[in-house]
Structures are given as C-alpha cells and as structure tokens.
Amino acid sequence: MIICSCKGVTKSEIVKAVKGGAQNIVDIQMLTKASTGCGRCKGIIHTILSKELENLHEQNSQLRINFD
C-alpha cells in the first residue's frame, strides 16, 4: 500500500526502516524520502512509526537467558 504518493513509498518500506533503526519521522524521511514532498502523509507515517516502535519494544521486553 502506497503511503507517500509524492515519493512512492509503501507501508512496508516504512516498517522496514523502523525495523532497521528509524526512531522518528526525520529518520523515516532520511531513509525513505517519505513526507519530503507535500507532507500530507506525515500523520499516517507517524501512526505507523508509533505502532511499529511499540511492537518492537514489546518484542524486546522479555529477558531471555540461555541455560545450555
């Protein structure tokens, strides 16, 4: 699904950027160029970013100990 029509950036590209280390909207802009045109997609990008960061935090919040 295209999120940024100006730059042709998809939701999966934004998710990939977050999983690759993007922490804020500027990181997303630098990595994907999304929201660097008209800016109409900035709100939805922020929503995707927040959700993905929350998911990453939840996945990494469990202590894992290898007892082998």
Side-chain angles (χ1 to χ4, degrees):
M1 168 163 71
I2 300 278
I3 299 298
C4 177
S5 57
C6 293
K7 302 296 180 177
V9 181
T10 63
K11 180 179 179 182
S12 62
E13 289 175 287
I14 295 167
V15 170
K16 182 179 177 182
V18 175
K19 289 180 179 179
Q23 296 289 311
N24 55 50
I25 192 77
V26 174
D27 291 342
I28 297 292
Q29 290 172 323
M30 296 291 290
L31 292 168
T32 68
K33 304 300 182 225
S35 191
T36 60
C38 73
R40 287 182 294 178
C41 57
K42 191 172 186 177
I44 188 72
I45 291 170
H46 190 282
T47 300
I48 295 167
L49 175 65
S50 296
K51 182 176 167 78
E52 291 303 317
L53 287 174
E54 184 178 314
N55 289 343
L56 285 175
H57 177 71
E58 287 176 8
Q59 290 173 3
N60 295 326
S61 64
Q62 180 178 351
L63 177 63
R64 293 181 178 89
I65 300 173
N66 187 358
F67 290 104
D68 293 340

